[in-house]
């Protein structure tokens, strides 16, 4: 349950849908989403961000817009990534409540009705939490579980497990998000960072209806790295403690060798493992440099201050 507060008076609901190579998903997505929105009896807009699709996604979106003028299309100049496409959608919303949703229909549009009702009762953020991830394979479920545990152990603020981008946000939340200018964007962390009054709406995630996921194992790994380095400096601090522990161990071992030589009058014969020790510590140093490099790379990206996305063309009514 969420704390009592003043009910919201809705005037417009904004739906954000980032798409990349989803030509087969467009028609089923709108066929299922539009009836839900129309039954709400609210004014609404659907902001579709075409994130550099190479198939007929844009053409399918334009065809859908001919049938429903409240569909707005933002065509990006290239593929900037889902986080950038989601940011683009947030920047262009006009509604008092905003809901990001994917076109693959794994997140049921029917849940929007419950989200809106909870928002109308005063909740500023409604989080859709997956209670059943059986649509994902075992490895993906376990790695997601490990990531949430690691991230929440070393980062602040914490991220509620099994909550994706599918959520409702009040306009004040969106305005707070628009104040964050960072280029390396991990949206789950950014959503958590701004806070506000939250409620959880559990649901079972469905299997993907059309197409295939754009997140390969390598991209998911990089995504996890972005999440950890965006909101925690613990990886840097670990190497300080590791270096201190190695230095103390080396000093203790050196003192032992000197003491044994002085007492017994002889040194240890030969060090066949010396090269192994050197290579080990060399590897440790390179890993440490790699961690430092991750943070330096982020500084480099931020100092260039390039825009997060570039809109090539808009397809929307002029207001």
């Amino acid at each position: 349950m969420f704390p009592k507060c003043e009910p919201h008076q809705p005037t417009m609901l904004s739906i954000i849908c980032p798409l990349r190579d989803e030509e087969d998903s467009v028609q089923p997505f709108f066929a299922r989403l539009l009836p839900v929105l129309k039954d709400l009896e609210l004014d609404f807009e659907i902001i579709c961000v075409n994130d550099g699709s190479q198939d007929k996604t844009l053409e399918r979106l334009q065809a859908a817009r001919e049938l429903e003028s409240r569909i707005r299309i933002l065509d990006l100049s290239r593929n900037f990534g889902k986080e950038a496409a989601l940011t683009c959608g947030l920047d262009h919303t006009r509604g008092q409540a905003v809901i990001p949703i994917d076109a693959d229909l794994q997140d049921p549009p029917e849940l929007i009705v419950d989200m809106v009702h909870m928002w109308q009762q005063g909740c500023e953020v409604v989080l859709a939490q997956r209670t059943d991830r059986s649509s994902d394979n075992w490895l993906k479920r376990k790695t997601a579980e490990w990531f949430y545990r690691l991230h929440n152990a070393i980062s602040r603020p914490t991220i509620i497990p099994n909550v994706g981008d599918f959520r409702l946000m009040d306009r004040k939340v969106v305005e707070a998000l628009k104040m964050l200018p960072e280029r390396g964007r991990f949206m789950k962390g950014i959503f958590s960072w701004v806070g506000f009054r939250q409620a959880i709406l559990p649901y079972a995630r469905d299997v993907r209806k059309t197409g295939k996921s754009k997140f390969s194992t390598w991209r998911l790994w990089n995504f996890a790295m972005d999440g950890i380095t965006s909101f925690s400096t613990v990886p840097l601090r670990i190497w300080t403690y590791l270096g201190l522990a190695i230095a103390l161990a080396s000093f203790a071992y050196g003192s032992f060798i000197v003491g044994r030589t002085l007492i017994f009058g002889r040194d240890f014969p030969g060090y066949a493992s010396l090269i192994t020790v050197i290579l080990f510590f060399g590897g440790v140093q390179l890993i440490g440099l790699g961690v430092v490099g991750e943070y330096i790379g982020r500084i480099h990206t931020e100092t260039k201050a390039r825009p997060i996305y570039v809109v090539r063309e808009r397809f929307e009514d002029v207001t």
Side-chain angles (χ1 to χ4, degrees), residues 6-10 40 42 115-123:
E6 291 297 324
H8 294 101
Q9 299 299 324
L40 283 171
L42 298 176
M115 287 180 165
V116 170
H117 288 165
M118 295 173 73
W119 173 70
Q120 289 173 333
Q121 295 177 48
C123 188

Side-chain angles (χ1 to χ4, degrees), residues 36-37 39-40 109-118 120:
V36 173
L37 298 179
D39 287 345
L40 283 171
E110 293 77 13
L111 209 65
I112 292 175
V113 176
D114 295 328
M115 287 180 165
V116 170
H117 288 165
M118 295 173 73
Q120 289 173 333

Side-chain angles (χ1 to χ4, degrees), residues 9-312:
Q9 299 299 324
T11 56
M12 178 182 282
L13 174 65
S14 295
I15 305 295
I16 302 173
C17 181
L19 302 101
R20 183 192 174 198
D21 297 335
E22 295 283 1
E23 61 179 1
D24 294 332
S25 302
V26 173
Q27 193 278 331
F29 173 68
F30 286 122
R32 192 167 164 186
L33 175 66
L34 287 172
V36 173
L37 298 179
K38 292 175 181 178
D39 287 345
L40 283 171
E41 298 182 350
L42 298 176
D43 191 13
F44 65 87
E45 63 177 2
I46 305 174
I47 302 175
C48 298
V49 184
N50 181 37
D51 187 23
S53 297
Q54 299 297 311
D55 60 3
K56 296 181 180 180
T57 298
L58 181 58
E59 288 84 348
R60 300 286 171 85
L61 290 174
Q62 290 173 315
R65 175 171 160 70
E66 291 178 0
L67 301 175
E68 175 54 71
S69 62
R70 286 173 287 189
I71 296 175
R72 301 169 57 196
I73 305 171
L74 302 173
D75 184 30
L76 301 188
S77 60
R78 63 171 177 83
N79 174 238
F80 287 89
K82 185 181 179 182
E83 310 297 274
L86 185 55
T87 300
C88 175
L90 289 169
D91 289 344
H92 289 82
T93 55
R94 299 176 297 200
Q96 281 64 49
V98 177
I99 300 177
I101 186 172
D102 293 335
D104 57 16
L105 294 177
Q106 285 191 276
D107 300 321
E110 293 77 13
L111 209 65
I112 292 175
V113 176
D114 295 328
M115 287 180 165
V116 170
H117 288 165
M118 295 173 73
W119 173 70
Q120 289 173 333
Q121 295 177 48
C123 188
E124 295 165 334
V125 179
V126 180
L127 304 174
Q129 186 179 46
R130 306 160 191 164
T131 56
D132 181 4
R133 299 194 61 159
S134 58
S135 59
D136 297 329
N137 59 50
W138 178 87
L139 181 60
K140 189 172 183 179
R141 293 197 301 270
K142 294 305 293 185
T143 52
E145 177 185 343
W146 296 335
F147 167 74
Y148 284 120
R149 286 185 179 180
L150 176 61
H151 183 279
N152 291 341
I154 66 176
S155 303
R156 292 293 179 273
T158 58
I159 298 175
I160 298 177
N162 297 318
V163 173
D165 298 327
F166 187 40
R167 64 186 67 206
L168 181 146
M169 296 171 286
D170 184 74
R171 167 51 54 181
K172 66 180 70 174
V173 181
V174 175
E175 292 301 320
L177 291 169
K178 290 165 67 175
M179 295 171 59
L180 304 179
E182 57 208 70
R183 273 75 186 168
R185 302 180 74 80
F186 178 65
M187 295 305 295
K188 289 184 180 64
I190 291 175
F191 288 147
S192 297
W193 187 89
V194 296
F196 290 93
R197 187 179 293 109
Q198 300 181 350
I200 294 177
L201 182 61
Y203 77 106
R205 199 174 198 218
D206 204 351
V207 296
R208 187 180 178 94
K209 300 299 183 182
T210 57
K212 61 180 181 180
S213 175
K214 308 305 183 295
F215 281 91
S216 63
T217 302
W218 179 245
R219 287 193 65 187
L220 286 172
W221 167 260
N222 289 329
F223 188 62
M225 291 292 292
D226 287 341
I228 292 173
T229 55
S230 292
F231 289 89
S232 176
T233 58
V234 170
L236 288 174
R237 201 171 303 144
I238 286 175
W239 292 100
T240 301
Y241 298 140
L242 181 61
L244 179 62
I246 292 174
L248 291 175
S250 300
F251 178 77
Y253 186 60
S255 300
F256 171 73
I257 292 176
V258 171
R260 177 159 183 159
T261 302
L262 293 175
I263 294 173
F264 295 100
R266 63 182 180 84
D267 198 356
F268 282 101
Y271 286 96
S273 60
L274 182 60
I275 187 63
T276 303
V277 174
I278 293 174
L279 290 175
F280 170 75
F281 287 112
V284 170
Q285 290 173 337
L286 289 175
I287 294 173
L289 287 174
V291 173
V292 174
E294 284 285 337
Y295 287 90
I296 294 177
R298 292 189 167 274
I299 296 172
H300 176 64
T301 299
E302 296 296 331
T303 55
K304 289 185 291 188
R306 292 174 179 169
I308 300 172
Y309 58 86
V310 176
V311 177
R312 186 184 71 85

